[in-house]
Amino acid sequence: MSEFDKLGVVIRYEFLKHIRRARLYIILGIALVAEALVLILIPALTDGYPESVKVMAGLLTVGASLAALGAVFFAGDAIAGEYEGKTGFLLFTNPVKRETLWVGKYLAGFIAVALLMIFTYFIQAIALLIIYQQVPVEIFQSFGIAMFYAAATLSTTFLFSAISKGSMGATIMTLVFVWVICGILESVLAFTGNPYWFVLSAGGDAIATAYGSLEQFLAGLGGLGSLGGADQMATMFKMPTLGMVSWGMAIYFVGGFVASIFLAKRRQLA
Amino acid sequence: MSDVIVIENLTKYYGKFLALDNLSLKVPEKENIGLLGPNGAGKSTTLKILCGLLKPTSGKAFIEGIDVITQPEKALSRIGAIIETPEFYSYLTPEDTLNYFGRLRGMKGEKLKKRIKEVIELVHLEKWSKEKIGKFSRGMKQRLGLAQTLLHDPSVLILDEPSLGLDPRGVVEFREIIIGAGKEKTVFFASHQLVEVAQICRKVAIINTGKLLAFDEITELEKKYQTLEQAYLKVTGGV
């Protein structure tokens, strides 16, 4: 039996675990609630929906961004959990390379996130069709960026899972890194007019900016766009291109994954 | 009769703590060997190295002539193992779990399905085969652990305290299964239960502080020290 065949087996059963766990459905629920809130609050707080379908599409990416962060919850225990929960005593005594196990776990987690993402974009497209009778072609670009962001976040979580003693620690460390550290770094770099394409959270922003620039969003939101200094602030930001953001995410995707495999392979189950 | 498990000068440090000190041991084919020793003697470390879970600081270990350190996957294909109290994925059922591990070992189709049914019946988990393992007691997990150990009909069984957590009936059933399997297989078996070891094994290896102190037939040890318990106490503690 080849390692490739074994990889297929690992993906199948790791994905089965995701399907059986409540967290998949909880994340999906949160993402859908976020999209519902956008659909309810925008017309409730302003004069109806924005004129531009792209602005509304950008606002609805909040669900996809949350779904992408679901990667953290799928991968937090991928490596650390085998050691913490001692399930590794059974799994690792099977004749399969550790690399095959980690790659299989990664792909199973990615498939789970991809399913969430497809569902949130489907809801987004339906909502846009109902409100505007059209769906911007940029939805594919946004979807691609969201998938790449999910892959990069998954790799980053794998890295924390490889170095962490416990699953919870890995999950919290990744969330702090993505939401707090990257968020602060991105804000500081953006407000000081410096490039920030290499910060992971810039990938999350690009899911929305795939539909248009920050200036276009602020202008499209009417009241918000006319707030003092908002336009000036938008022009001051050195908004990275989607290409640059993709390079940034590639660093996390490849670097995080390779480092996690290297570190996990050295780890022993005492 | 060839040696199925060969341990050569195995040394293992955990930081500065010496867990195994140049341990050498040979287990002949179809022999049932008990590995005895007090807590921290190095029993689990030895078994974990044989199962590829730990890497030794120095020394070598072979299963059926295959180097466990350089060819772990090939060596693991020959063994079935229970190390410590087995923990399973709580969201899977025993059938899912055995399917997963069976497929990883190249089993499939009707043959796998039939074998899963056989081992589940052997450990008396028929009523629970489709229930999620999260609901299982420690003893039930131990039974499932034995089922996965025997699933692929390996030629070598490596068992670390396999009856831990079982009720008295479970202990008896477990012992009978291992004795039955031991007629056709090589069994290397760590335990603190001297009575259990005496019923399953013909020979025992007694280790302490990572060193081999005695390796002999139980009858010989009983001749020398009157009982296996006396032999164990005197060899490990000088009582």
Side-chain angles (χ1 to χ4, degrees):
Chain A
M1 190 184 188
S2 71
E3 283 301 313
F4 189 75
D5 292 332
K6 290 176 188 173
L7 178 65
V9 175
V10 175
I11 293 170
R12 180 176 167 177
Y13 285 92
E14 289 296 327
F15 181 66
L16 182 64
K17 283 192 316 194
H18 291 312
I19 291 286
R20 298 259 177 94
R21 291 164 120 173
R23 65 184 68 173
L24 179 85
Y25 307 100
I26 292 170
I27 296 165
L28 180 63
I30 292 170
L32 293 180
V33 166
E35 286 185 341
L37 282 174
V38 170
L39 287 166
I40 294 164
L41 291 177
I42 293 285
L45 298 174
T46 62
D47 302 329
Y49 291 111
E51 277 184 27
S52 166
V53 65
K54 289 184 184 177
V55 172
M56 190 61 198
L59 290 169
L60 280 171
T61 56
V62 64
S65 299
L66 283 169
L69 275 176
V72 178
F73 297 97
F74 294 135
D77 64 352
I79 299 172
E82 297 292 349
Y83 294 85
E84 184 187 25
K86 297 192 171 182
T87 44
F89 282 125
L90 283 174
L91 185 63
F92 300 157
T93 55
N94 284 290
V96 55
K97 288 184 187 297
R98 298 280 169 93
E99 293 92 328
T100 307
L101 292 173
W102 307 141
V103 173
K105 280 171 175 279
Y106 182 93
L107 291 173
F110 185 74
I111 292 168
V113 179
L115 281 179
L116 288 178
M117 208 79 79
I118 289 166
F119 200 76
T120 57
Y121 271 91
F122 180 71
I123 298 294
Q124 191 187 124
I126 296 286
L128 293 174
L129 271 175
I130 292 170
I131 301 166
Y132 297 93
Q133 289 78 51
Q134 60 171 310
V135 178
V137 72
E138 286 87 351
I139 195 168
F140 295 106
Q141 206 170 22
S142 174
F143 178 72
I145 292 284
M147 294 294 276
F148 204 7
Y149 177 62
T153 307
L154 203 59
S155 286
T156 307
T157 314
F158 255 65
L159 179 56
F160 283 114
S161 191
I163 58 172
S164 174
K165 277 192 173 177
S167 310
M168 188 60 79
T171 304
I172 291 170
M173 276 196 281
T174 315
L175 287 174
V176 167
F177 177 75
V178 177
W179 268 348
V180 181
I181 296 173
C182 285
I184 292 169
L185 192 62
E186 187 186 342
S187 300
V188 170
L189 290 170
F191 278 104
T192 53
N194 286 295
Y196 56 92
W197 58 268
F198 49 86
V199 182
L200 181 57
S201 52
D205 296 344
I207 297 172
T209 54
Y211 289 105
S213 66
L214 191 60
E215 292 95 321
Q216 286 169 317
F217 271 103
L218 290 170
L221 284 169
L224 282 174
S226 63
L227 286 174
D231 294 341
Q232 201 182 349
M233 186 179 77
T235 48
M236 188 179 76
F237 285 0
K238 286 186 179 170
M239 284 274 292
T241 62
L242 293 182
M244 289 304 286
V245 167
S246 299
W247 277 112
M249 288 192 291
I251 294 169
Y252 292 91
F253 169 54
V254 177
F257 188 66
V258 171
S260 65
I261 297 275
F262 176 75
L263 292 168
K265 197 171 159 57
R266 292 168 64 89
R267 207 165 162 174
Q268 297 187 51
L269 191 51
Chain B
M1 198 179 283
S2 61
D3 295 318
V4 170
I5 298 174
V6 176
I7 295 166
E8 286 178 358
N9 303 316
L10 221 48
T11 297
K12 176 68 183 176
Y13 277 94
Y14 294 110
K16 287 182 180 175
F17 176 73
L18 179 61
L20 288 182
D21 186 3
N22 264 311
L23 183 74
S24 294
L25 191 67
K26 289 178 180 176
V27 179
E29 190 182 1
K30 292 184 184 174
E31 189 77 75
N32 297 351
I33 304 289
L35 185 61
L36 303 175
N39 293 327
K43 303 186 298 294
S44 290
T45 300
T46 306
L47 300 188
K48 284 174 186 173
I49 290 172
L50 287 171
C51 292
L53 298 170
L54 285 176
K55 287 203 169 79
T57 308
S58 64
K60 290 188 171 184
F62 300 88
I63 304 261
E64 294 188 339
I66 303 158
D67 191 330
V68 173
I69 293 115
T70 58
Q71 296 176 281
E73 292 82 31
K74 198 174 173 190
L76 287 172
S77 68
R78 312 296 175 94
I79 67 168
I82 300 180
I83 303 294
E84 295 193 0
T85 303
E87 287 299 334
F88 294 86
Y89 302 113
S90 56
Y91 299 93
L92 299 183
T93 67
E95 278 190 5
D96 295 331
T97 305
L98 295 174
N99 258 305
Y100 185 9
F101 294 153
R103 283 168 198 268
L104 279 181
R105 289 182 176 274
M107 301 168 79
K108 56 187 173 183
E110 276 305 308
K111 195 180 168 190
L112 175 60
K113 204 174 164 184
K114 190 175 166 234
R115 185 62 184 156
I116 288 172
K117 194 167 178 280
E118 281 173 9
V119 291
I120 280 181
E121 280 173 7
L122 188 69
V123 299
H124 303 301
L125 281 178
E126 301 96 315
K127 286 180 189 169
W128 299 86
S129 65
K130 293 184 193 303
E131 296 291 330
K132 286 184 184 170
I133 300 168
K135 298 174 185 171
F136 283 22
S137 68
R138 194 172 172 180
M140 289 163 78
K141 287 180 189 171
Q142 205 76 12
R143 285 170 186 268
L144 182 56
L146 184 62
Q148 72 82 30
T149 302
L150 298 169
L151 179 67
H152 52 290
D153 197 20
S155 53
V156 182
L157 295 182
I158 293 177
L159 309 170
D160 186 10
E161 296 280 355
S163 58
L164 205 70
L166 290 170
D167 56 40
R169 180 179 290 278
V171 171
V172 173
E173 288 169 359
F174 218 87
R175 193 164 58 219
E176 284 170 359
I177 293 169
I178 295 171
I179 290 170
K183 288 173 186 164
E184 297 297 321
K185 301 176 192 300
T186 307
V187 181
F188 195 36
F189 169 47
S191 178
H192 288 295
Q193 305 297 321
L194 300 182
V195 176
E196 188 178 55
V197 171
Q199 287 177 325
I200 294 172
C201 307
R202 195 174 62 86
K203 280 177 92 171
V204 291
I206 303 175
I207 65 171
N208 198 8
T209 59
K211 288 180 184 166
L212 182 66
L213 304 177
F215 185 35
D216 211 340
E217 289 181 15
I218 293 173
T219 50
E220 291 301 314
L221 289 169
E222 283 172 342
K223 274 184 202 167
K224 199 171 170 184
Y225 298 97
Q226 294 182 323
T227 63
L228 179 60
E229 189 179 69
Q230 281 300 312
Y232 174 84
L233 291 172
K234 285 187 178 164
V235 169
T236 58
V239 179

